[in-house]
Amino acid sequence: MNLLLVLQDPNTQWVLMGCILLGISSGVLGCFAFLRGRSLVGDALAHAALPGVCLIYLFTGSKSIGLFLIGAGIAGLLATYSITAISRYTRIKEDTSLAIVLSVFFGIGIVLLTFIQHSASGNQSGLDKFLFGQAASLVKSDVITIMLVAGVLILMTTLLFKEFTLLSFDPGFGRGLGFPMGLLDGLLMLMLLMSVVIGLQAVGVVLVAAMLIAPAVTARYWTDKLGRMVVLSGTFGALSGVLGTLISTQQENLPTGPTIVLSATCFFLFSILFSPRRGILARFYRFMKLRNKVLVEDVMQSLYECLEEQAGRSRVGGVYLGINEADIAHKSGKSMSQVRKALSELTRKKWVAERAKPGKSSAWTFTRAGLQAAYAYILNQRLWDLYHMTQNQYHHVQIDQSQEELAPQLSDEVLAQMMAQLEAYDLTPKLTEGTTESGLYLGKQEQGGVSL
């Protein structure tokens, strides 16, 4: 079906506008439900709304959407009170009380719905559409109702943004500041209920909870700021409404509510995979990068320590050419392929060089830049080892152990004390930054270098 022709249809326009407003209001309020750890509250309220709708039809015999919304709201309030009362006055936890209320109210709703369907006018009631929603049935008056309710919800969220932020992250602190946290919590529940009720006709009692939570969880993958999260969540909710509505227009008898929920799920899956900080691919890339970094550092440390041991065994003025791959692998505990991979990375950085030994296989040693880098790394590692061994001596020093480097956190006096201790334990790196390349390879004593 031509998309432009579809968009020119007035009924499609009303449905599209109603789903966009529903997505925005659900996404905005869903952020606070998600942060409060009440992701199931929307689901419980939606299922609890079904008996309210059925009872209104039984009492009035009318299919007025306004009356249905009133009945759903009353049933939702009763469910909210039941959840609060069960978790407050019994030893049952809140998640269990949510499951109890959801199951009981939905069971009552299904019984009433079955009774209505078998009554004389039941087949024409259309109440079964409330189970999975029928956005195509939205008309101008319904969209105006959704618009008014969504506008009120968004306005209240904007005005009470600071209070809801306190409620979500630290209600105890907010109570200490004098804010009525209990009242705010009840108000948030009421606003969630209103958001659920206006979504019943479009998405249905079974799926409307997804419109609350899916956009909020999706937005959480893209930002750490609550303000941005709320905006992004509303945007994802609106885009889900647009995409789901347009997809449903392309296929006859394709329900709009489920396609909206599936669209929101697609945004969620995309965020899981591709979000820059929390996405699976980004985390996998960082993990592989860290693993390669650790591998390179381990091999560099092993090469340095092998050279250091040979330097200690060599006579002054002796000839030294380097360490072969098998010895590095034995020292580091890595496989030959891992050692070659790390040496290739170090070669690319021009930190190591492969030299041929006379009559023997080739061997590896550091370049001047590589030796400087290895010396700094080894010195830092041994300072950390010394700090952990003698931590009680340095309890007065403010050390951030999450930092990679220790020396920049030390005063000159403390650093000199630790260097003296390294020397006493014979842990001072022997191949210093002053060791020249010719001295390293040929064993010639250079000024400031190490005798090999």
Side-chain angles (χ1 to χ4, degrees), residues 71-94:
I74 294 172
L77 283 175
L78 183 60
T80 304
Y81 175 77
S82 302
I83 293 169
T84 305
I86 291 173
S87 55
R88 179 175 298 177
Y89 299 113
T90 68
R91 301 182 66 178
I92 297 175
K93 295 183 178 179
E94 185 171 312

Side-chain angles (χ1 to χ4, degrees), residues 120-331:
S121 59
N123 290 332
Q124 289 77 37
S125 65
L127 294 186
D128 55 323
K129 304 299 182 186
F130 274 75
L131 282 177
F132 300 104
Q134 189 180 41
S137 64
L138 289 174
V139 294
K140 181 179 178 180
S141 59
D142 301 330
V143 175
I144 290 175
T145 303
I146 293 175
M147 187 183 303
L148 290 174
V149 176
V152 170
L153 294 177
I154 294 171
L155 178 63
M156 291 178 67
T157 305
T158 304
L159 294 176
L160 297 173
F161 183 80
K162 181 178 66 177
E163 287 78 5
F164 284 161
T165 303
L166 274 173
L167 180 67
S168 301
F169 290 103
D170 197 344
F173 180 67
R175 197 173 292 110
L177 292 177
F179 290 101
M181 289 294 113
L183 181 62
L184 287 171
D185 191 30
L187 180 61
L188 180 61
M189 292 282 281
L190 179 62
M191 292 170 67
L192 284 172
L193 173 63
M194 293 171 66
S195 179
V196 166
V197 168
I198 62 173
L200 288 178
Q201 189 180 359
V203 186
V205 298
V206 178
L207 298 175
V208 72
M211 289 301 295
L212 282 173
I213 301 306
V217 178
T218 304
R220 185 68 183 90
Y221 272 88
W222 294 93
T223 182
D224 291 327
K225 303 289 186 183
L226 179 58
R228 293 177 189 170
M229 180 182 170
V230 171
V231 173
L232 282 175
S233 181
T235 304
F236 282 125
L239 291 176
S240 302
V242 172
L243 190 60
T245 303
L246 294 181
I247 291 175
S248 68
T249 60
Q250 301 303 305
Q251 180 67 42
E252 191 174 354
N253 294 326
L254 187 63
T256 308
T259 53
I260 291 175
V261 173
L262 288 177
S263 300
T265 306
C266 289
F267 286 120
F268 172 63
L269 293 176
F270 179 84
S271 301
I272 283 183
L273 290 174
F274 299 109
S275 66
R277 291 190 58 191
R278 294 185 173 84
I280 291 176
L281 293 181
R283 292 172 62 185
F284 180 72
Y285 171 75
R286 288 197 294 272
F287 169 75
M288 294 302 296
K289 188 177 179 181
L290 177 62
R291 195 170 75 166
N292 288 335
K293 179 175 180 288
V294 171
L295 174 64
V296 169
E297 289 176 347
D298 285 349
V299 170
M300 183 172 68
Q301 181 176 3
S302 299
L303 177 58
Y304 185 95
E305 291 175 352
C306 286
L307 288 171
E308 199 175 41
E309 291 171 4
Q310 287 207 354
R313 293 196 300 267
S314 299
R315 59 182 174 81
V316 175
V319 175
Y320 174 71
L321 290 175
I323 308 297
N324 60 43
E325 294 175 356
D327 289 339
I328 298 174
H330 178 73
K331 180 72 175 178

Side-chain angles (χ1 to χ4, degrees), residues 17 39 66 76 119 125 206 251 268 303 311 329 351 378 400 413:
M17 186 176 297
S39 300
S119 64
S125 65
V206 178
Q251 180 67 42
F268 172 63
L303 177 58
W351 284 3
I378 295 297
D400 183 0
E413 182 183 356

Side-chain angles (χ1 to χ4, degrees), residues 49 52-53 56 64-77 193 197 200:
V53 171
I56 285 290
S64 168
I65 297 301
L67 291 175
F68 284 169
L69 294 182
I70 292 172
I74 294 172
L77 283 175
L193 173 63
V197 168
L200 288 178

